[in-house]
Amino acid sequence: MLKKTAIATALSAAALMGVSQAQAADYVIDADGQHAFVQFKISHLGYSYILGSFEEFSGSFSYDPENLEDSTASLEVDVASLNSNHAERDKHIKSDDFLDVGEYPTATFTSTGFEPTGDNEGVLTGELTLHGETNEFEMPVTLVGEGKDPWGGYRAGFEGSTTLTLADYGIDMSDFPEVMHELELYVTFEGIRQ
């Protein structure tokens, strides 16, 4: 149920960086090095929570601390890579009851703007496509840090979280308690400057 949103979100997550086109540096999200995560949390009937992640995704962003308003980001998530640590539940979430990965195998996020709201903080906006539905998406994001790595490269890392309403992406949760109609999405990742 939350998987669809999570996916969308997962995409979103990767997309959450500030960037500038004129002087901006381009970064590739370090998903291969396991320094990036797209995760979700949804209530289970109001009694506990289901936690999960999308394990296969890729993305990039442009970032210039001097021109944050021009930042850009994009993310593509393999929805079938959803993992909630329970094989039967994952199979159900990926079925046409929820995410329908056979029909909608990919979720994407493309930024349309970034508004700084404080030191190292801002709101990333863009379009999130999940389960065949595209909606404007907002996620508050924070710069975790940036600098040289031990291998001669340069990295920048961000994190962000937001709440998704599953019905906005065509996921019908009407048979479930209202507490399950929304999903928390959390994204964190490092980008390697190109």
Side-chain angles (χ1 to χ4, degrees):
M1 320 152 180
L2 32 130
K3 18 321 204 173
K4 295 185 177 182
T5 315
I7 299 172
T9 290
L11 308 177
S12 337
L16 40 91
M17 4 272 310
V19 144
S20 134
Q21 292 181 330
Q23 300 292 324
D26 294 327
Y27 292 76
V28 171
I29 295 171
D30 186 14
D32 291 340
Q34 293 300 306
H35 299 124
F37 302 88
V38 176
Q39 301 175 323
F40 62 91
K41 174 182 176 182
I42 189 171
S43 175
H44 181 251
L45 304 174
Y47 307 136
S48 65
Y49 294 96
I50 296 170
L51 305 178
S53 63
F54 293 92
E55 303 196 349
E56 299 292 333
F57 57 89
S58 61
S60 62
F61 62 93
S62 295
Y63 167 68
D64 177 359
E66 302 301 318
N67 298 287
L68 292 175
E69 296 86 351
D70 294 330
S71 299
T72 62
S74 64
L75 179 66
E76 182 172 300
V77 175
D78 177 358
V79 179
S81 71
L82 177 139
N83 180 3
S84 70
N85 294 311
H86 190 284
E88 286 303 310
R89 176 174 57 216
D90 292 350
K91 183 177 178 181
H92 187 208
I93 292 172
K94 296 174 191 179
S95 76
D96 58 8
D97 286 345
F98 299 106
L99 293 180
D100 195 357
V101 300
E103 183 72 21
Y104 308 107
T106 305
T108 60
F109 173 83
T110 302
S111 67
T112 57
F114 182 82
E115 181 180 353
T117 57
D119 290 344
N120 300 320
E121 297 179 345
V123 176
L124 183 71
T125 59
E127 292 187 341
L128 174 63
T129 299
L130 172 68
H131 192 245
E133 301 285 340
T134 300
N135 292 290
E136 183 170 295
F137 176 85
E138 284 191 356
M139 178 179 280
V141 298
T142 301
L143 172 68
V144 176
E146 64 176 308
K148 295 179 179 179
D149 64 27
W151 309 281
Y154 192 92
R155 295 173 181 250
F158 297 82
E159 69 174 347
S161 63
T162 193
T163 300
L164 297 180
T165 299
L166 296 172
D168 290 346
Y169 296 92
I171 301 170
D172 182 8
M173 300 297 290
S174 60
D175 289 340
F176 298 91
E178 188 173 347
V179 70
M180 296 182 68
H181 295 189
E182 294 184 334
L183 168 134
E184 293 179 35
L185 177 65
Y186 173 73
V187 179
T188 184
F189 56 91
E190 288 179 17
I192 304 170
R193 190 166 66 187
Q194 301 302 288

